[in-house]
């Protein structure tokens, strides 16, 4: 599925474990490991976009996670810790013009991060 996005700034909300790093790698291996495609995906994000990361990790693991992300040049604006392990539900309203203002993408755990998108300057 390829997303066609407007030229407006976007908000990307991504889970951490199993989406951008190996699930529970920090517990199993003692360190995090980036999944394939993560650096390329983050490098493709427009600079005006915001990135919010979600994780069920406890806040005590936040400093190590931030260090890892910085070392690997993974940009983010906010990290929310201690989120429940259940489903994540995004609810947003569409613009009166009909522009769809939310998308949800579920990916296989630990699979490469590949979310193809284009920016349509006419939207």
């Amino acid at each position: 599925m390829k997303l066609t996005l407007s030229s407006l700034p976007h908000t990307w909300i991504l889970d951490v474990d199993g989406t951008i790093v190996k699930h529970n790698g920090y517990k199993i291996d003692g360190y995090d490991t980036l999944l394939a495609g993560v650096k390329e995906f983050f490098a493709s994000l427009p600079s005006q976009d915001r990135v919010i990361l979600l994780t069920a990790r406890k806040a005590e693991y936040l400093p190590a996670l931030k260090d890892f992300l910085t070392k690997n040049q993974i940009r983010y604006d906010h990290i929310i810790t201690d989120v429940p392990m259940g489903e994540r539900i995004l609810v947003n309203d569409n613009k009166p013009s009909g522009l769809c203002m939310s998308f949800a993408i579920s990916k296989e755990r630990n699979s490469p991060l590949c979310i193809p998108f284009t920016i349509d300057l006419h939207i």
Side-chain angles (χ1 to χ4, degrees):
M1 173 175 137
K2 185 173 187 175
L3 300 177
T4 300
L5 305 174
S6 73
S7 59
L8 297 168
H10 313 103
T11 303
W12 296 89
I13 303 170
L14 295 100
D15 183 46
V16 173
D17 285 293
T19 302
I20 65 171
V21 300
K22 177 182 172 184
H23 187 263
N24 284 339
Y26 74 105
K27 290 180 177 178
I28 297 166
D29 305 325
Y31 55 88
D32 280 310
T33 303
L34 280 181
L35 296 175
V38 170
K39 283 193 176 194
E40 296 81 3
F41 172 75
F42 277 83
S44 75
L45 297 179
S47 62
Q48 70 271 21
D49 287 6
R50 298 279 185 197
V51 177
I52 300 170
L53 301 179
L54 305 176
T55 181
R57 295 182 191 199
K58 301 292 180 200
E60 65 192 76
Y61 295 104
L62 186 57
L65 177 58
K66 285 182 172 183
D67 287 346
F68 173 81
L69 295 169
T70 300
K71 175 182 154 196
N72 285 280
Q73 300 176 323
I74 303 301
R75 68 178 251 234
Y76 62 90
D77 296 286
H78 303 285
I79 301 176
I80 302 172
T81 60
D82 297 297
V83 298
M85 292 183 200
E87 295 89 348
R88 315 278 161 75
I89 300 104
L90 172 63
V91 180
N92 199 3
D93 63 316
N94 289 331
K95 294 240 184 251
S97 67
L99 180 63
C100 180
M101 295 301 293
S102 62
F103 297 96
I105 300 167
S106 294
K107 67 181 271 306
E108 185 177 328
R109 179 174 283 172
N110 292 335
S111 66
L113 182 62
C114 180
I115 304 172
F117 67 91
T118 58
I119 306 295
D120 185 336
L121 299 176
H122 304 295
I123 298 180

